[in-house]
Amino acid sequence: MPSCTRGIVNDQRLRLLIIGGYGTFGGRLAELLCRERQVSLVIAGRSKSAALAFCHALPPGATREALAVDRDRDVARRIEQVNPDIVVDASGPFQAYGEDAYRVVKVALATRTHYLDLADSPEFVRGIRQFDGKAKEQGLVLLSGVSSFPVLSAAMVRDLANDFGRIDSITGGIAPSPYAGVGYNVIRAIADYAGKGIPIQRQGRRQTAHALLETRRFTISPPGVIPLFQRTFSLVDVPDLQLLADEWPEVKDVWMGAAPEPAILHWLLRRFAGLVRLRLVPSLAPLSRLIHSTANNVRWGEHRGGMFVEVSGEGGDGQIVSRSAHLLAEGHHGLYIPSMAVEAIVRNWLDGRPPRAGARPATAELELSDYRRVFAERPVSIGTRNGTGSGDQCLHARILDTAWQSVPAVLRAVHGAGPNLTISGTASITRGRGVLARILAWIMRFPAAGENVPVTVNFERHGDYDKWTRDFGGQEFSSTFTVGSGRFEHLLCERFGPLTFGMALVPDADRLNLVMRRWNFLCLPLPGFLVPRGNSCEFEEGDRFHFNVEINLPLAGFVIRYRGSLQPPGTTALSG
C-alpha cells in the first residue's frame, strides 16, 4: 500500500490521478507539475478526447496519460485500474455532490490511496474529519480544501499573528484579475448560495449573514509594489468562515470576501443576490450559464489579481495590534495560485516530507515558506503591513511600511529629515513645445528650459502633510504631499492647486520609482486613461540625491522633464 512517509527512490515516480484534470483548477495543477520528471500524471474527466488533447498540449517532463472518469459512476473501477499514489479531486462543485458526497474519499480508503481535493464547500471540508480514524489505521493522507482558502489564508494568519497573545478578528479577501477565466463550477456554487444565509463567526458566536450582500472596501498593496486599485469585496461562503474559527477558538469575528472585476458586473450580481434575500426569487442557480458567459466575455481593467488577510488582536506587549498580509500576482500568474497548495504539498512529498496520516481540512498543512518556494519563479509579491505608521514617521516611511529599509540611504535621509531641510544642487529642464503642453506648464508654474540651472529644494514637514518648495534659478513652485486614503490608499498624493496626483512608491535597487496611478480635480476623479505618464524616480549616486521627473499627458504629449542632483548637508550623519 502507498505509505505517507515514502519519498522518491531511484526511478520511482509519484503517480497522481487528477479528476477534473483538464478543468479550471485541475488543468492548472497539471500545468504546475507537468515539468516535474518525478511525477506521473493521469488527466481524468468525462471526455477522454478532451483529456487526451490537454495531455498533448502540456510541455514535456512528467509522464502523462488521459482517462475517462465519471465520479458519479465508475470512479471506483477507474482508481483501481490506474492504481495512483494520490487521487486529486478538482472537479466540483462540491456543494452539489448530493447524498453520497464523499464517494471519492470512500474509494480512496477502499483502494488505499492518498486523497487531496480543492473543495470550497465549508460543510464538505469540515466533514472529512469523519474519516480520520480509518485514514490513520491505513496510514493514508486525506486532505480537503487544499486551495488558497483556507490553506494560504491560514498560513498568512499564522505568519501575521506569530507574536500575538490573542487573535480577535480575521478579515480576508481575494481579488481575481478580470481576465482570470472563472470556471463554470465556481459560478454554479456562487449562484447557488448568493443572497442566502450562511454561518459566520461574529461577536464571538456563530451567526447568519447573507452571502454577497455584506461588503467591505480594501486596497491590496504589498509594500513597495504598485497596489491594486481599491475594490469592493462581497461576503462569500468559503471554508475559512468556519475553519479559522476552529483553528483559533478565541477569535470573535471572521469575514472573507471576493472582489471580481469589472465592478459593474459585481454590482449587478449583488443586486440579483438581494432579490434572493427578499425571497422574490428562490435562487440564482438558473442564471449560472448566463453569469459564467458574461464573466468570461465582458472583461476590462488591469490584468492583475491579489489576496489579503488582516488580523487584529492583542500583541505580546498587551497592546491591540492590527497587521495585514498582501499578495499580488501579475498577469496570468494569479490564475495558478488556487492550485499551488496541492503543488506545494506534492513537492514536499517528493522531498520526503509528506503530510502526516489522517483525514482533516488542510488548514495547517503549509506555511508561507512553502508558498514562497512555488512563487519563486513567478511575478508574485507578498508582504506585510503593520499599519499606517505614526505621525513621527515621514510620509514615505508610512506608505512603504516594511519596504522602507529597502530605499537607498541618501533618499531615506532626505525624506526622513525634518521638520525642515533645505538642499541645493543643479538641474536640467526640458519643456514640451506643443501649445497645450505650454499652457499646462504655465498653469502649473513649471520652470523654463535650461541646462545646469541652480536649484534649491526646501522640505517642510507639518504633521500629516509635507510641503516642497523648488527654486529653479529664481523660478519657484511648490506642492504639498499627503498619505493617500480611500481611492488613493497606499499612494503618495501630491497636490498642485486643484489637482491631486496619486503615486505608487516602488523601490528598485538603487532607486525609488514614482508610478502615477490616480488623479483628481477638486476631489472629482479624472479618467484613468488620461492620467499623466512618465519615467519619474529618485536615486542615490555617491552621496547625492538624484531626481528625474517626467510628465507626459495623452492629449498634450510631452510637458516637462527636470532632472538633476542635490547635495544633502551632513549626509553621513543623516543616512543612519
Side-chain angles (χ1 to χ4, degrees), residues 232-435:
T232 297
F233 291 78
S234 296
L235 178 67
V236 289
D237 190 21
V238 291
D240 305 59
L241 295 179
Q242 299 178 43
L243 293 177
L244 298 186
D246 292 344
E247 190 80 11
W248 290 278
E250 77 277 13
V251 73
K252 296 177 181 177
D253 298 282
V254 179
W255 196 95
M256 291 286 154
E261 291 275 272
I264 183 62
L265 298 184
H266 184 196
W267 182 86
L268 287 171
L269 183 60
R270 299 200 307 272
R271 300 286 76 78
F272 280 111
L275 300 179
V276 177
R277 170 72 177 93
L278 296 172
R279 300 186 179 180
L280 298 178
V281 295
S283 170
L284 299 186
L287 300 178
S288 296
R289 290 289 180 190
L290 175 61
I291 296 171
H292 177 254
S293 176
T294 303
N296 285 282
N297 288 284
V298 180
R299 302 172 174 180
W300 65 79
E302 293 185 306
H303 192 7
R304 312 167 78 214
M307 177 177 171
F308 81 93
V309 170
E310 187 173 55
V311 177
S312 297
E314 183 181 290
D317 57 1
Q319 299 296 311
I320 298 302
V321 180
S322 180
R323 291 182 189 148
S324 55
H326 300 244
L327 180 149
L328 199 152
E330 304 291 345
H332 68 280
H333 296 278
L335 313 182
Y336 295 89
I337 292 176
S339 301
M340 285 182 174
V342 175
E343 179 197 8
I345 287 175
V346 168
R347 294 197 181 281
N348 286 346
W349 214 308
L350 294 171
D351 292 340
R353 297 183 291 115
R356 57 183 172 82
R360 59 192 177 277
T363 317
E365 299 306 314
L366 296 173
E367 301 299 336
L368 283 187
S369 57
D370 297 302
Y371 271 100
R372 287 192 173 97
R373 177 186 180 188
V374 295
F375 291 161
E377 296 182 0
R378 296 177 180 273
V380 177
S381 303
I382 186 167
T384 300
R385 288 191 173 274
N386 295 311
T388 57
S390 69
D392 294 334
Q393 291 181 298
C394 69
L395 304 184
H396 288 65
R398 291 162 64 184
I399 292 168
L400 286 168
D401 205 297
T402 52
W404 172 238
Q405 292 303 317
S406 64
V407 174
V410 168
L411 274 59
R412 282 188 282 117
V414 170
H415 292 303
N420 193 298
L421 174 68
T422 300
I423 51 180
S424 301
T426 58
S428 297
I429 304 107
T430 306
R431 292 271 292 264
R433 297 182 179 180
V435 175

Side-chain angles (χ1 to χ4, degrees), residues 144-159:
S144 187
V146 191
S147 192
S148 302
F149 288 156
V151 182
L152 178 53
S153 52
M156 286 179 168
V157 173
R158 284 191 294 274
D159 186 73

Side-chain angles (χ1 to χ4, degrees), residues 11-77:
D11 295 329
Q12 187 178 5
R13 294 173 182 256
L14 194 64
R15 190 166 171 80
L16 271 71
L17 168 62
I18 306 176
I19 301 174
Y22 53 83
T24 301
F25 298 118
R28 290 166 186 164
L29 173 61
E31 290 181 54
L32 291 169
L33 293 172
C34 68
R35 292 182 174 85
E36 179 54 69
R37 296 188 180 277
Q38 292 179 296
V39 168
S40 176
L41 299 174
V42 181
I43 306 300
R46 286 191 172 91
S47 169
K48 185 172 182 178
S49 60
L52 190 61
F54 183 83
C55 286
H56 288 324
L58 290 174
T63 63
R64 72 287 310 266
E65 60 185 279
L67 187 70
V69 172
D70 187 336
R71 70 171 308 282
D72 297 325
R73 296 182 180 180
D74 62 352
V75 66
R77 181 171 60 86

